[in-house]
Amino acid sequence: MAAPVVVVGAGLAGTSVVREIRKLDPGIRVVVVTADAAEIYAKPNLSNALASGKEPARLVQFSGEDWAARNRVELRSRTRVLGVDRPGKMLRTDQGEIPYGSLVLALGAQPVRPPWEGDGLDRVRSVNSLRDYEVFRGDLVGARSVAVIGGGLVGCEFADDMRSTGLQVAVFDPGSHPLGRLLPEQTGNWVRERMEQAGMVFHAGTGVVSVYREGNGLRLVDSRGESHLVDAVLSAVGLRPEVELAKEMGLTVQRGISVDRHLRTSDPDIYALGDCAEVESLVLPFVQPILHASRALAATLTGNPTVLRYPAMPVVVKTPSVPTVVCPPPPGAHGRWREDVAAEGVVSVFLDENDQALGFVLAGETVKERTRWAERMPDWL
Ligand SMILES: Cc1cc2nc3c(=O)[nH]c(=O)nc-3n(C[C@H](O)[C@H](O)[C@H](O)COP(=O)(O)OP(=O)(O)OC[C@H]3O[C@@H](n4cnc5c(N)ncnc54)[C@H](O)[C@@H]3O)c2cc1C
């Protein structure tokens, strides 16, 4: 029997590449190895599950077994890959060895944990999986107040979701406004004002120093020396691509696992995509880039080598109290923002020296124009 395509990881990247392989080749042998239970769910739904009235278990679309049967995949769930014998083309896992012909790493990312102090740190949650979310939802039972550390995309989405159920939500961020790296100044202030009008408190220019237990709650001390007693704390300070296994295997790693535009790592039989991968210096931990990468990689793995192309990919921020769409300029792009800020909405455009639009932000009523704006953007790759 031919050595299979082995995909490590059953998140969006792993499952999407399998789905795309099956569209192209019903017969090729595919094995999926994953450390988790392989419950299939849409991770973006975690940050608006409260507003949609969904308990964590209801977010699961398929059990691993159902999904594997539908996709004719040999599934090894609850199986962690510990190392890879590259010359022997063999995975070493905590459940034994698995041979591969081609190997796909779809390992995701890990939450960053800054060096905060205090005896409450084990109750500071990060959410990057359904399992994490179940734990955090447990913290919200009976809670009235929540601190969110980090006002980026995921932090703002959770903050708005919790606000929608009547929780008091305070967001702490060292930047001057929410979605700091994605928004220029005036636009960021506009978004911040709308979040505050909706009832969230945004502690701008304020980091977190320590978190202590106090009664059933947590006392958070911020970088201004002020302290806040809350019932639950969510950390959303960012994710780091999962690169440890790739490093251990001797693959080239920068911020993520380095791949070329065929999603090929420094080993020609090993590929990577999703939150763990870095394609020509781009680490894009979002759904759309993963879907593009899955289609290109599936074609390559089924005998039609295909170069990855990224169009501009706007991200819809799931904050119903402040609808926002961001399409950042390509990393390293030179230019300036032109911000058009009105009461009902914002159109901010990043222009290069020839006044060519390279990125944009829409917020408020203008978000409905996102398709028109996206069509004007140059490809990212
Ligand atoms: C709350 C939240 C909301 C989001 N909302 C949006 C949104 O609205 N729009 C958007 O574009 N993006 C959004 N994102 C980002 C998007 O969800 C991610 O980019 C995407 O889900 C990542 O998929 P992945 O398969 O690369 O990683 P993961 O889903 O993290 O999957 C990694 C897999 O690898 C497995 N694994 C790791 N190491 C090993 C090992 N050694 N052995 C075996 N298995 C291993 C894990 O078990 C897991 O199955 C959101 C992210 C979060 C956290």
Side-chain angles (χ1 to χ4, degrees), residues 8-15 33-38 41-48 76 79-83 93 106-110 127-129 133 153-154 157-158 239 242 245 273-277 284-290 314-318:
V8 185
L12 181 71
T15 56
V33 185
T34 183
D36 56 27
Y41 67 98
K43 197 183 286 191
N45 291 345
L46 299 180
S47 49
N48 60 4
R76 307 285 189 85
T79 302
R80 180 165 289 279
V81 177
L82 304 173
T93 81
L107 303 167
Q110 292 297 328
V127 174
N128 189 36
S129 70
Y133 185 59
L153 190 125
V154 168
E157 291 188 351
F158 274 116
L239 295 172
E242 176 57 73
L245 180 63
L273 81 166
D275 285 8
C276 67
L284 298 173
F286 299 110
V287 171
Q288 286 302 323
I290 292 175
V315 177
V316 177
V317 187
K318 302 188 298 296

Side-chain angles (χ1 to χ4, degrees), residues 207-275:
V208 166
V209 175
S210 53
V211 182
Y212 294 95
R213 286 169 183 267
E214 187 168 314
N216 290 329
L218 292 166
R219 184 162 294 281
L220 182 150
V221 180
D222 70 27
S223 56
R224 294 171 188 262
E226 290 175 12
S227 90
H228 312 261
L229 185 62
V230 292
D231 297 316
V233 178
L234 177 69
S235 166
V237 297
L239 295 172
R240 183 179 297 125
E242 176 57 73
V243 295
E244 291 312 312
L245 180 63
K247 272 190 194 163
E248 201 264 351
M249 290 161 65
L251 300 178
T252 303
V253 167
Q254 295 179 62
R255 201 145 66 86
I257 304 170
S258 300
V259 294
D260 64 15
R261 287 184 65 180
H262 287 93
L263 288 315
R264 194 177 272 125
T265 67
S266 50
D267 179 322
D269 295 319
I270 303 181
Y271 302 81
L273 81 166
D275 285 8

Side-chain angles (χ1 to χ4, degrees), residues 50-65:
L50 285 167
S52 62
K54 289 210 169 139
E55 290 301 318
R58 282 192 49 217
L59 297 172
V60 177
Q61 294 158 336
F62 300 103
S63 69
E65 291 68 31

Side-chain angles (χ1 to χ4, degrees), residues 81-157:
V81 177
L82 304 173
V84 179
D85 166 12
R86 292 208 276 136
K89 297 184 96 174
M90 189 70 77
L91 294 187
R92 188 165 49 79
T93 81
D94 56 5
Q95 308 293 325
E97 295 188 328
I98 301 171
Y100 68 86
S102 301
L103 178 61
V104 177
L105 301 176
L107 303 167
Q110 292 297 328
V112 171
R113 294 292 285 201
W116 297 311
E117 294 176 359
D119 63 3
L121 296 184
D122 57 334
R123 282 185 46 201
V124 175
R125 313 297 188 192
S126 303
V127 174
N128 189 36
S129 70
L130 185 61
R131 211 45 77 220
D132 297 338
Y133 185 59
E134 282 172 342
V135 173
F136 181 58
R137 279 288 286 265
D139 290 357
L140 296 186
V141 176
R144 292 181 26 210
S145 58
V146 185
V148 177
I149 311 176
L153 190 125
V154 168
C156 286
E157 291 188 351

